[in-house]
Amino acid sequence: KKKISSKNTKVYEKNLVKAYLVRNGFSKSEIFRILNSKATRQKCYTKLDFYQGLVLNSQCRRSYRFLLKQKICSLPHPRTLAKWIGKFQCTTGIQLSMLQLLKQKSLFFEKESDRNVSLIFDEMDIKRSYSYDSRNKIVLFPSKHVQVVILRGISCSYKQPIYWDFDKSMTKQRLFSIIKEVESCGLRVRGIVCDLGNHGLISELKLFKQYSFSNPVDSKRNVYFFPDAVHLIRLLRNHVLDKGVFLPKDSYNSHRRSNPNNDPSDYVLLSKDDFKQVLNKDASELKMVHKVTNFHLEVSGQSRQRTKYAVQLFSHSVAKCMEHLFKEKKVQAEALQTIDSWFDVMNSRRKFAKKKVACALGIHEGLQMECLRKMERLVNNWIFKDTNRELPFEKGLKMSLKSTFALYDELKLEGMDYLLTSKLNQDCVESLFFQIRFIGGSNPKPDSFDCLNRLRVLVTSKNPGLLDLIDEYDVDQIDEHQVNLTGGQKVDIIGEHQLDTIGEHQLDTIDEHQAVQTDELQMEHTDEQQVDHIVAHHVDQIEENQVEKIDIYQVDQDEIVSQTIFEDNDFEVDNCCIDTDEASHLSYSGEQGLSYVCGFIARKLNKKFPFLGSQEMTDSSSKWVAVLSYGGLYYPSAEFFQVCKKFDKEFLQFHGETLSNCYDPIGTFSKKLSCVFPSWDKEIIYLFSKTRFFIRLKHLNKELNVTATSNESRSKKQIANHL
């Protein structure tokens, strides 16, 4: 009877339903939601739910919102995901947390060859604008591009962004520091991949004279340079269509005997006209080469960045069609076939493919090596029309071939059977750039702040375990008194426990001896009873009409008595009686705009501070608000308007013509004003500081847009004058 009665209880029913849901693959949060249907606001998400939500949301936001709206599955809201990944500090520079994750992964490598990696880097253009990172409390200044470095396994299929920074071109010193960090994780850098636009790095490493350089960690090992084969075939297509190239009539074993621009008897010309003849003769509805059209020959602008047009033009089918229709163009057809085979070998993506040359390098070693050597002989013997020197992309082709030969020989000695050459091009970087643009929807060109946020989403969605690692490993490794900005500058960190003792007219210059004394006092006087001794030694430096860097030292604000500070420094503040002549730095339109801002602050804080303003006009200082208002705008009081003038003057001194690069500029300026005007509530001061800060940020971005538009129109006019 007891067993029968126990089966009739609700607990037994819930356990029965729970067991059924577990067997059918429901998650813990979904089971909790089904069993507790009344507790609609209570959520119970597991880490697995967060991981799944991150991946789905990064793939398609609309689909993710549809799943949430239709309640198809229980997943966290996008805002919940944003808060959860907020602990991942997406700062610039080398990403040590990701290297630590790779270090842990390397412990489980089965083969020693799995440690071989390549570094692939490129730049992406971004929008130039000022932005504010509220999480890290720093200002991000305008940047033209972002540099990204991806670490990719040569024999294993792992890839990970390990470095990004703004307006930082790749240099020898920066590259060597990245290599040292990667090598310290137990990985071995065997090659670097980039396009030929990195002129500074190529000249520093003298890569046009040699195709490798010594590893900075182990001088016995070489790091090979691989110019991106995808860029090379596009550049080759552009030069052939724009100029034309002279090809030797006989075997590629011959050497240049004469300059074909002066004596073309030993050469034949491959140019756009040869392709036009093929298309004109193959003009029927049923074509021999149906993929190639006149668009492939007249490609221009952004279309030249599409690799498929170049690959289709230099394809096996076009080469055979040219040889079949025009017997006299056998040399040109053979050159096209050589280029096609070279690109297949240099872009192998799987171990076995339909074409033998497209298999992984080493599967058909004899055939593939012969294709590469034939391409090397072709590059050594061709000469481009109206050019007497070797073009940069020709040097890149030679370096790519030599590096491939050398690296393959080394890997073969180490026991590797084959090499997937697609892991030695920039496709993974371009794919990352596409994802960064795609996440923005209608905003495909992000600014520096948006770029960091999108990188945070992409990195955490691909590596959810990174969020667990952050608790064990210090991601930022920020110095105790400094933080790294996007511009490479170091600024002082000013935390919540910082002491501000800045007076308005008593911000005198402090010499180095006083600064040292201040630091010593901070180290020695740690008791709360001796805080006043620390306060007496803190002053700052601001010159009239010129803003310099402000260094503010910290102690707990609860330990500060503002009146005592100012009395000790013989400084008196009377913000009830402010001289209006001293604050006459604004024009008439500026004063009217400031009155509108003051009215906004008064409306926001009306319930707590009704004396700041009202909906009735009390004086003539807010004429513009009276003209603009339909009856709902607030007019600031005369006292509040006058003190806001003083606030604005302090703002101009603190930020200068742009924005201050100190840590937490809003909070720092608020603390400064609180010390100068101690009788005014901190909430009022903070709202003014925040509002004025974002007004300046928006104004600077508008000026940048106007400058960019004028420069674009000027460049168009210059181009039109030369047409």
Side-chain angles (χ1 to χ4, degrees):
K1 290 182 179 179
K2 289 182 179 180
K3 291 182 179 180
I4 294 173
S5 61
S6 63
K7 292 183 179 180
N8 294 328
T9 60
K10 292 183 178 180
V11 176
Y12 177 79
E13 292 178 0
K14 280 190 174 183
N15 291 335
L16 191 64
V17 173
K18 184 177 181 180
Y20 173 80
L21 295 176
V22 170
R23 287 197 304 270
N24 287 272
F26 285 81
S27 65
K28 291 183 179 180
S29 58
E30 290 174 325
I31 294 173
F32 177 84
R33 181 179 171 186
I34 293 171
L35 297 179
N36 302 275
S37 57
K38 294 182 179 180
T40 55
R41 295 188 62 84
Q42 186 177 0
K43 300 294 182 182
C44 181
Y45 295 118
T46 62
K47 286 186 177 181
L48 181 61
D49 295 328
F50 280 110
Y51 295 163
Q52 293 173 347
L54 281 174
V55 174
L56 291 174
N57 191 40
S58 64
Q59 295 297 323
C60 184
R61 290 187 175 184
R62 289 187 177 181
S63 300
Y64 190 78
R65 290 193 177 93
F66 176 79
L67 293 175
L68 293 178
K69 187 176 181 180
Q70 299 298 325
K71 298 182 180 180
I72 297 175
C73 57
S74 180
L75 291 171
H77 193 273
R79 293 177 185 171
T80 307
L81 292 176
K83 291 180 181 178
W84 192 63
I85 67 174
K87 61 182 180 180
F88 175 67
Q89 298 294 329
C90 191
T91 56
T92 57
I94 300 176
Q95 306 301 310
L96 299 177
S97 61
M98 298 176 190
L99 290 175
Q100 183 71 6
L101 193 66
L102 289 171
K103 184 177 182 179
Q104 293 185 0
K105 185 176 181 178
S106 66
L107 299 176
F108 302 96
F109 286 157
E110 297 178 357
K111 300 178 181 179
E112 192 66 21
S113 59
D114 295 343
R115 300 181 182 275
N116 295 326
V117 298
S118 61
L119 297 180
I120 307 168
F121 49 91
D122 199 4
E123 295 178 349
M124 183 185 76
D125 291 336
I126 60 175
K127 182 181 179 182
R128 295 186 72 248
S129 66
Y130 290 85
S131 54
Y132 182 65
D133 186 354
S134 58
R135 182 178 284 105
N136 295 319
K137 297 183 178 180
I138 57 174
V139 179
L140 301 178
F141 290 85
S143 303
K144 292 183 179 180
H145 58 262
V146 56
Q147 176 85 245
V148 178
V149 180
I150 291 183
L151 182 146
R152 187 170 192 177
I154 293 178
S155 60
C156 286
S157 58
Y158 60 87
K159 50 189 175 183
Q160 182 66 55
I162 60 169
Y163 174 91
W164 54 72
D165 209 340
F166 298 100
D167 286 344
K168 294 291 180 65
S169 58
M170 187 57 65
T171 61
K172 179 180 177 180
Q173 181 181 0
R174 189 168 290 115
L175 176 63
F176 279 18
S177 63
I178 296 174
I179 292 176
K180 290 177 182 178
E181 292 292 344
V182 174
E183 293 274 347
S184 65
C185 296
L187 304 175
R188 295 183 296 183
V189 179
R190 308 304 296 269
I192 61 171
V193 185
C194 65
D195 53 33
L196 297 175
N198 294 273
H199 304 292
L201 178 65
I202 293 174
S203 62
E204 279 186 288
L205 296 175
K206 300 178 181 179
L207 292 175
F208 276 149
K209 298 180 181 179
Q210 55 191 11
Y211 55 90
S212 65
F213 57 91
S214 298
N215 192 305
V217 177
D218 185 2
S219 60
K220 296 180 180 180
R221 289 190 283 117
N222 289 331
V223 178
Y224 297 100
F225 175 57
F226 292 89
D228 184 27
V230 177
H231 281 77
L232 292 176
I233 195 170
R234 292 202 301 257
L235 292 171
L236 176 58
R237 185 272 317 272
N238 295 342
H239 283 86
V240 169
L241 294 182
D242 296 342
K243 300 178 181 179
V245 59
F246 287 104
L247 306 172
K249 289 182 179 180
D250 52 0
S251 171
Y252 294 148
N253 291 323
S254 62
H255 297 281
R256 298 178 182 177
R257 294 180 296 274
S258 61
N259 190 337
N261 292 299
N262 302 325
D263 183 16
S265 59
D266 296 332
Y267 293 84
V268 294
L269 180 65
L270 175 64
S271 63
K272 183 190 294 187
D273 295 335
D274 296 308
F275 297 101
K276 284 185 177 180
Q277 292 176 18
V278 173
L279 293 179
N280 291 335
K281 198 163 186 178
D282 185 30
S284 61
E285 182 178 356
L286 301 175
K287 296 183 177 181
M288 299 172 66
V289 284
H290 59 279
K291 291 184 179 179
V292 181
T293 62
N294 285 322
F295 179 77
H296 290 71
L297 305 181
E298 305 298 336
V299 63
S300 61
Q302 289 296 323
S303 298
R304 287 202 167 193
Q305 301 299 319
R306 300 290 300 276
T307 307
K308 76 171 187 177
Y309 297 138
V311 175
Q312 289 173 352
L313 190 64
F314 293 148
S315 63
H316 171 76
S317 58
V318 173
K320 292 301 180 182
C321 182
M322 183 179 292
E323 185 179 4
H324 183 75
L325 295 178
F326 303 94
K327 302 297 183 181
E328 67 278 7
K329 295 185 182 297
K330 185 178 180 180
V331 177
Q332 292 92 325
E334 186 180 1
L336 294 180
Q337 183 64 57
T338 302
I339 296 171
D340 176 69
S341 300
W342 160 78
F343 187 73
D344 286 338
V345 175
M346 295 299 297
N347 196 41
S348 58
R349 297 182 176 275
R350 56 184 63 89
K351 185 176 180 179
F352 298 103
K354 294 180 180 180
K355 298 171 65 175
K356 290 185 178 181
V357 293
C359 297
L361 182 59
I363 300 299
H364 302 282
E365 183 177 353
L367 177 62
Q368 292 169 326
M369 286 298 177
E370 179 58 30
C371 292
L372 295 180
R373 292 190 187 98
K374 193 173 181 180
M375 183 65 182
E376 187 177 22
R377 292 194 297 267
L378 177 62
V379 175
N380 288 331
N381 286 277
W382 71 23
I383 296 179
F384 282 88
K385 188 178 180 180
D386 300 331
T387 303
N388 295 323
R389 61 181 180 86
E390 192 175 30
L391 298 174
F393 92 94
E394 294 182 84
K395 298 178 182 178
L397 275 169
K398 294 179 181 179
M399 285 189 290
S400 177
L401 291 167
K402 292 179 180 178
S403 297
T404 304
F405 291 140
L407 180 60
Y408 177 73
D409 290 339
E410 287 186 5
L411 296 178
K412 188 177 179 181
L413 292 175
E414 295 175 6
M416 282 188 62
D417 299 328
Y418 60 88
L419 171 64
L420 293 175
T421 53
S422 63
K423 295 184 178 181
L424 299 174
N425 61 33
Q426 288 185 316
D427 285 350
C428 58
V429 181
E430 298 297 340
S431 176
L432 177 64
F433 291 161
F434 172 78
Q435 293 179 65
I436 292 174
R437 297 187 182 101
F438 173 76
I439 288 180
S442 59
N443 181 23
K445 193 172 184 180
D447 58 14
S448 54
F449 178 67
D450 291 335
C451 189
L452 287 177
N453 281 336
R454 296 177 189 184
L455 280 169
R456 178 189 289 111
V457 172
L458 289 173
V459 169
T460 53
S461 63
K462 302 295 183 183
N463 304 279
L466 187 65
L467 298 172
D468 296 332
L469 185 63
I470 291 173
D471 298 333
E472 305 173 2
Y473 187 76
D474 186 11
V475 178
D476 301 327
Q477 289 197 354
I478 300 177
D479 187 77
E480 186 178 359
H481 298 292
Q482 291 183 329
V483 66
N484 190 9
L485 293 182
T486 58
Q489 300 173 342
K490 298 275 187 176
V491 298
D492 291 339
I493 288 184
I494 303 170
E496 295 180 355
H497 61 285
Q498 182 154 11
L499 172 65
D500 294 324
T501 59
I502 306 177
E504 182 185 357
H505 298 292
Q506 192 143 357
L507 301 175
D508 300 326
T509 304
I510 180 171
D511 58 14
E512 296 180 358
H513 179 67
Q514 289 175 320
V516 171
Q517 287 181 345
T518 303
D519 293 338
E520 293 174 354
L521 283 171
Q522 283 186 312
M523 297 298 295
E524 294 174 359
H525 302 290
T526 56
D527 297 335
E528 293 182 1
Q529 299 175 353
Q530 295 177 332
V531 172
D532 293 338
H533 294 285
I534 303 175
V535 170
H537 292 273
H538 288 75
V539 291
D540 251 322
Q541 175 180 345
I542 295 181
E543 297 180 1
E544 188 175 358
N545 299 327
Q546 181 180 2
V547 177
E548 296 184 357
K549 184 177 180 180
I550 300 178
D551 295 327
I552 307 174
Y553 299 90
Q554 300 181 343
V555 292
D556 197 341
Q557 280 188 340
D558 296 335
E559 301 172 355
I560 302 173
V561 182
S562 300
Q563 299 295 335
T564 306
I565 296 171
F566 292 119
E567 287 174 4
D568 291 341
N569 289 280
D570 298 329
F571 178 76
E572 295 181 359
V573 179
D574 185 11
N575 19 329
C576 297
C577 302
I578 299 174
D579 189 1
T580 58
D581 294 335
E582 294 183 3
S584 59
H585 62 284
L586 295 171
S587 62
Y588 174 76
S589 60
E591 287 189 357
Q592 297 303 310
L594 181 62
S595 68
Y596 183 87
V597 174
C598 295
F600 164 77
I601 297 173
R603 179 180 177 276
K604 279 283 186 181
L605 305 176
N606 180 52
K607 292 183 179 180
K608 192 172 182 180
F609 307 103
F611 62 88
L612 296 180
S614 63
Q615 292 181 323
E616 296 180 0
M617 187 174 180
T618 56
D619 60 354
S620 59
S621 61
S622 303
K623 296 180 180 179
W624 170 242
V625 178
V627 173
L628 193 64
S629 177
Y630 286 104
L633 296 182
Y634 272 63
Y635 299 90
S637 62
E639 179 186 358
F640 181 53
F641 181 64
Q642 294 300 327
V643 80
C644 281
K645 285 185 179 181
K646 206 68 175 178
F647 289 171
D648 189 69
K649 188 174 182 180
E650 294 289 341
F651 177 88
L652 296 178
Q653 290 181 340
F654 182 82
H655 287 282
E657 296 182 356
T658 57
L659 289 171
S660 173
N661 66 342
C662 71
Y663 174 80
D664 190 14
I666 298 176
T668 303
F669 179 64
S670 300
K671 294 173 185 178
K672 174 180 181 295
L673 286 183
S674 297
C675 292
V676 179
F677 304 94
S679 62
W680 284 88
D681 193 275
K682 293 181 180 179
E683 187 175 356
I684 300 173
I685 291 175
Y686 183 81
L687 184 56
F688 175 86
S689 175
K690 182 178 179 180
T691 305
R692 188 67 179 87
F693 175 86
F694 284 104
I695 290 174
R696 169 63 66 84
L697 188 142
K698 185 176 180 180
H699 172 71
L700 292 173
N701 286 334
K702 283 184 177 180
E703 288 186 343
L704 283 176
N705 292 334
V706 171
T707 304
T709 304
S710 61
N711 291 338
E712 184 179 356
S713 60
R714 187 182 301 111
S715 63
K716 288 182 179 179
K717 289 180 180 179
Q718 292 175 351
I719 293 173
N721 292 333
H722 291 85
L723 294 178

